[in-house]
Amino acid sequence: MSMSLADSWGSAPASPIGFEGYEKRLEITLSDAPVFVDPCGRGLRALSREQIDSFLDLAKCTIVSHLSNKHFDSYVLSESSLFVYPHKVVLKTCGTTKLLLSIPRILELAAELSLPVLSVKYSRGMFIFPGAQPSPHRSFSEEVSVLNSFFGGLKSGGNAYVIGDAFKPKKKWHVYYATEEPEQPMVTLEMCMTGLDAKKAEVFFKDSTDGSCSSAKEMTMLSGISEIIPEMEICDFEFDPCGYSMNGIYGPAVSTIHVTPEEGFSYASYEAMNFNPSSLVYDDLIKKVLACFCPSDFSVAVTIFGGHGFAKSWAKGAEVDSYMCDDLVEQELPGGGVLMYQSFTAVTPGAVSPRSTLDGWNSDGAEMVAKSKEMSVCWEGEKAAKKKDADA
């Protein structure tokens, strides 16, 4: 099934302009297997390396490093990261990977382990080079159609949202969510940054201008990444000639960073998930991340399950010095979830590098932009439903 699906879509050529930093992120949560099937409760962690490779191959990425603890396994990939918990898999890929093509194989492996699907969440920002994306990632409607074919039958049905200011098409957040029942309490932060400060970005080039060669460990220390959450054990990796990825683990909590430092399409992402929201202050964490990159623009998406009381400081909008908030949207999700989305622009002259030289770039395959000032477009099933003052 997975091979026929993968073979039915052709590949798109890599962008001749630059590398696509914005990631696609897929999170599938599973229910427990019967105790007689999995008495040790290993769930997905019982998968072999060969089985994991079988779905990564479909997404067009490979494992370059890994780090584990008693709670989960983390993998740095050639394009971003993979996290495998007993009952959850999170796959995050950048570039022109075909993330959604991994779904049939993941579900097949879960079924072999008697792990039924509880929920799925897919999210991404607005691609810098949308026309370079291959099927099934040429548009959000195409992605929603694929997701609904696998998860539309869950109790909530498939629910998709495009969130953000319609007059700022580069600052949109795309989310698909479907669930059988309410999720366990958890907070997830997804942060996307563009227009990185030139000096900050320079750290992530393997060969520096003075002729010295930097390792991933040096990049982690020099950038300040190691100080964002100091308790995290970090698995980092540097790419040639530039670029950087890291996964951090601490108990069941994870953080991950991916950096594309080239001028003109520089990008960095930060994610933290499954942490105790009482132990981290939302604004403080964001400021620590920003200090590593000093971007000209950034967005934050906080997904909350368990209610505002559980989420503590994460349940309110962030305020960040030297940045103006362009947009603040609170979107309810099925099963009692909430998504808080904000986008920001730097306001202090000279504090950041010039904006991307690709701001005016457009191509066939770019997603259409609604005309309303603020938008949260929802699909129910494969059909667009209610849209306030918006065009398809």
Side-chain angles (χ1 to χ4, degrees), residues 56-230:
L56 293 179
D57 287 345
L58 296 171
K60 305 299 182 187
C61 53
T62 57
I63 294 170
V64 298
S65 187
H66 88 280
L67 184 64
S68 299
N69 63 18
K70 69 178 184 179
H71 299 280
F72 69 102
D73 304 304
S74 75
Y75 301 88
V76 176
L77 306 179
S78 53
E79 284 85 7
S80 300
S81 292
L82 167 69
F83 305 100
V84 180
Y85 291 81
H87 299 103
K88 187 187 293 287
V89 59
V90 179
L91 180 56
K92 189 169 185 173
T93 67
C94 56
T96 53
T97 50
K98 302 180 180 184
L99 173 63
L100 295 184
L101 297 190
S102 67
I103 292 174
R105 181 59 179 151
I106 293 172
L107 296 182
E108 183 181 2
L109 292 168
E112 289 174 6
L113 295 168
S114 301
L115 298 168
V117 175
L118 175 67
S119 68
V120 62
K121 177 174 171 265
Y122 174 76
S123 57
R124 67 168 175 85
M126 193 75 184
F127 295 127
I128 300 172
F129 308 112
Q133 290 296 315
S135 289
H137 297 283
R138 293 174 299 185
S139 68
F140 189 47
S141 58
E142 183 177 52
E143 293 168 321
V144 169
S145 179
V146 172
L147 288 159
N148 270 326
S149 70
F150 294 107
F151 306 108
L154 293 180
K155 193 172 292 184
S156 71
N159 300 269
Y161 313 89
V162 179
I163 298 169
D165 187 334
F167 291 109
K168 295 180 179 176
K170 292 183 183 294
K171 294 188 175 184
K172 280 210 172 60
W173 193 246
H174 304 73
V175 180
Y176 176 94
Y177 184 70
T179 187
E180 273 291 298
E181 59 187 64
E183 298 256 11
Q184 292 297 308
M186 187 170 77
V187 175
T188 302
L189 166 68
E190 296 170 78
M191 189 170 176
C192 301
M193 297 163 277
T194 56
L196 309 186
D197 175 82
K199 286 288 185 187
K200 300 289 187 180
E202 202 173 85
V203 171
F204 301 100
F205 283 81
K206 198 167 182 179
D207 297 317
S208 66
T209 52
D210 64 7
S212 62
C213 186
S214 294
S215 68
K217 296 294 180 196
E218 290 170 317
M219 293 176 185
T220 299
M221 296 299 293
L222 290 171
S223 62
I225 287 171
S226 58
E227 297 304 312
I228 296 174
I229 305 178

Side-chain angles (χ1 to χ4, degrees), residues 370 375-379 383-392:
M375 175 175 72
S376 174
V377 180
C378 305
W379 281 270
K383 229 178 191 183
K386 240 170 72 164
K387 298 182 185 176
K388 279 192 179 176
D389 304 311
D391 296 335

Side-chain angles (χ1 to χ4, degrees), residues 189-193 196 200 204 223-225 227-229 246 255-259 268-272 281-295 298-300 314 320 323:
L189 166 68
E190 296 170 78
M191 189 170 176
C192 301
M193 297 163 277
L196 309 186
K200 300 289 187 180
F204 301 100
S223 62
I225 287 171
E227 297 304 312
I228 296 174
I229 305 178
M246 85 82 169
S255 66
T256 185
I257 291 176
H258 304 285
V259 185
S269 67
Y270 178 83
E271 177 178 336
V281 177
Y282 182 30
D283 286 4
D284 291 349
L285 183 64
I286 288 176
K287 289 169 186 174
K288 285 184 177 182
V289 175
L290 291 174
C292 298
F293 304 104
C294 295
F298 75 95
S299 67
V300 287
W314 297 82
V320 185
Y323 287 88

Side-chain angles (χ1 to χ4, degrees), residues 33-55:
V35 67
F36 61 85
V37 174
D38 185 15
C40 298
R42 285 184 53 75
L44 293 174
R45 296 190 74 184
L47 294 176
S48 67
R49 172 65 182 267
E50 184 180 7
Q51 288 173 314
I52 291 172
D53 286 340
S54 71
F55 65 80

Side-chain angles (χ1 to χ4, degrees), residues 228-241:
I228 296 174
I229 305 178
E231 297 83 1
M232 289 275 181
E233 181 183 359
I234 290 176
C235 176
D236 43 23
F237 190 88
E238 85 279 358
F239 295 89
D240 196 8

